[in-house]
Amino acid sequence: MPGNTPVARETAEVPAQRSAPPPAGDRGAGRWTVLVVLCASLLLVSVDATVLHVAVPAVSQDLQPTSTQLLWIVDAYPLVCASLLILFGTLGDRTGRRRVLLLGYGIFALASALAAYAHTPETLIGARALLGVGGAMIMPATLSILRQVFTDRRERALAVGVWSAVAAVGAALGPLFGGLLLEHFWWGAVFLINIPLMAVSLPVGRRLLPESTGSGDGPWDVLGALLAAAGLFGVILGVKQAGDGAPLAPGTLLPLLAGAALLAAFVRRQRRHAHPLIDMKALARPAFGTSLGCIVLTVLALVGLALLAAQYLQLVLGLSPLETGLRLLPLSVAAIAAGLVGARMLRLMGPRLMVALGFGVTALAVLCLIAVVGQDDRPVLLVGAFVLLGFGLETTLFGCYESMLSEAPADRAGGAAAVGETAYQLGAGVGIALLGSVMNAAYAPGVRDLPGVPSAASRDAGHSLGEAYGVAERLDGVAGEALMAAARSAFVHGLHVTLLVSAGLLLLGALAALRLPGSADTARRPADPPRPARGEHGPRGAREQREQPAKGAGALLSSGAART
């Protein structure tokens, strides 16, 4: 087995971090306790990511946001989170991953309270952005600590399988908790569930989680981290504005061009810097760069569909929020199963076949949804499609993260985790903008120029299905019923078109997966020799090369099913 190779046995004895106290993973069974605490962190983030989906109609009714504001309410979290992941991931490598993680806990709790009691769309958007700051601190730190604690490859594979299953559990609990709370309370209660989790996670994490840093050689590149944050923010903001229907407007082109220029400056700086935040050479390796591209394609194709699915189940089929959560539960259960068997599938198939198979199964599920989704409820067929969707999604992301992390040395675990999470969040931001744009383009013509419906009412109804229902309630009986019927039909048509686009992106991902290594063993290449510190020569450089941690083959769903 790969975990019993001579290289693995030799490097397992080399300390993965240069921390003062021995990490919990070296003290026996304590590493499994650490895993429980880290899984609680993931549960927090994954529940919060999905709990808002079933609350969108209630938020729309209460706060009356415009269609753009509604997209910002959903998209502010991934936009801010993606922008800051590299900054906080590499900061944790330098200053301490547990320290960054605990600070993220506190910010997440504060932002949850602000979101729960928001009285305007602008306040809710700001609170969601602050949640993104907390999430950017939590995500890379938890993966870095997991990588540090589990030095044995087979144990780490089991640990990330449990981790992935917890992510899927969070995806299941989010809609269920949200639906249950919305049955008895106002929509803000969906954010309050974070606060008791934080009240437990903060003291427990402070007491049980090990502190660790990376190699610590050289100063932290503050300017590079800020360039990455600003560049990612500009690119995702520009794509989002383009998705709102203004691809050539100054508000779209300026952020895109500025973001692209800043990211180009970031890449140039990393190539020349003595102690770069990101190893740019790793991005050219098939196991790393292709995995990142596949992650982006997977999330881009699917993340917007989760929001559309919740709206379809509630607004077209008329299900309650709790019923919507229950209907989406099979997707998360299937993802749990895929997470638990992911390590074994990876050993049998290798990254290339596993990721390609995951893309194929997910594309098949999307095509099944095209045949199933309509104005009539077909619960059994919907459940079957959701099961395929969840299993294929988790299989794809598991294989992608394994291939990516197999290239990452342990002393840069935070940076590697940040790159993977950035790819995920970038795909999420682009996916919501792209699929939202496709959906709006296919939906809006279906509610225009309806007989008996004023043109102003038709124009307002063309923004979203929820807004169409609000307009229809203000019209008289015949016109209102005609508008509601046309809006439902147009929404189903738009959903079909969006699903077709998603299927095409997934098939493109299956082709891209052919560049991945054929087996997990071939994916694990020797680490590049670390660069000696400036002003020091031979002996230290050789010693640092001997101390270079082995590259593991861990994988992580990264709450994939949860975020979708």
Side-chain angles (χ1 to χ4, degrees), residues 310-405:
Q311 292 178 330
Y312 167 75
L313 293 172
Q314 292 183 73
L315 298 179
V316 176
L317 299 185
L319 301 182
S320 69
L322 180 58
E323 291 172 332
T324 298
L326 290 171
R327 188 65 66 85
L328 293 172
L329 180 61
L331 187 152
S332 296
V333 172
I336 292 172
L340 293 177
V341 302
R344 178 167 296 184
M345 291 176 62
L346 185 67
R347 289 196 299 270
L348 294 175
M349 299 181 182
R352 181 188 303 159
L353 182 57
M354 183 177 183
V355 174
L357 176 65
F359 271 121
V361 171
T362 310
L364 176 62
V366 170
L367 293 175
C368 290
L369 283 173
I370 295 175
V372 171
V373 167
Q375 297 193 47
D376 297 325
D377 191 6
R378 300 172 181 175
V380 175
L381 295 178
L382 274 177
V383 166
F386 285 155
V387 167
L388 283 177
L389 190 65
F391 192 90
L393 172 63
E394 166 67 354
T395 299
T396 302
L397 291 175
F398 196 110
C400 288
Y401 273 94
E402 192 283 332
S403 298
M404 183 195 72
L405 293 179

Side-chain angles (χ1 to χ4, degrees), residues 180-393:
L180 183 61
L181 290 170
L182 288 173
E183 291 285 333
H184 303 284
F185 304 100
W186 91 114
W187 59 264
V190 303
F191 294 104
L192 292 181
I193 62 176
N194 296 330
I195 296 177
L197 289 173
M198 285 293 88
V200 175
S201 298
L202 270 169
V204 172
R206 182 178 178 82
R207 180 177 179 83
L208 296 181
L209 292 179
E211 183 60 283
S212 68
T213 59
S215 62
D217 291 332
W220 182 52
D221 184 10
V222 180
L223 179 58
L226 294 177
L227 283 174
L232 288 168
F233 187 91
V235 168
I236 300 177
L237 176 61
V239 172
K240 177 177 165 37
Q241 294 294 98
D244 291 339
L248 300 179
T252 299
L253 295 179
L254 289 178
L256 273 175
L257 294 176
L262 290 171
L263 288 178
F266 169 75
V267 171
R268 188 180 306 112
R269 181 178 178 84
Q270 296 309 294
R271 286 177 174 173
R272 297 176 179 178
H273 203 278
H275 305 282
L277 298 173
I278 303 297
D279 182 6
M280 304 308 298
K281 293 180 181 178
L283 297 178
R285 299 171 185 164
F288 198 98
T290 303
S291 297
L292 290 178
C294 289
I295 290 171
V296 172
L297 278 174
T298 304
V299 183
L300 191 153
L302 294 173
V303 69
L305 294 182
L307 181 60
L308 295 177
Q311 292 178 330
Y312 167 75
L313 293 172
Q314 292 183 73
L315 298 179
V316 176
L317 299 185
L319 301 182
S320 69
L322 180 58
E323 291 172 332
T324 298
L326 290 171
R327 188 65 66 85
L328 293 172
L329 180 61
L331 187 152
S332 296
V333 172
I336 292 172
L340 293 177
V341 302
R344 178 167 296 184
M345 291 176 62
L346 185 67
R347 289 196 299 270
L348 294 175
M349 299 181 182
R352 181 188 303 159
L353 182 57
M354 183 177 183
V355 174
L357 176 65
F359 271 121
V361 171
T362 310
L364 176 62
V366 170
L367 293 175
C368 290
L369 283 173
I370 295 175
V372 171
V373 167
Q375 297 193 47
D376 297 325
D377 191 6
R378 300 172 181 175
V380 175
L381 295 178
L382 274 177
V383 166
F386 285 155
V387 167
L388 283 177
L389 190 65
F391 192 90
L393 172 63

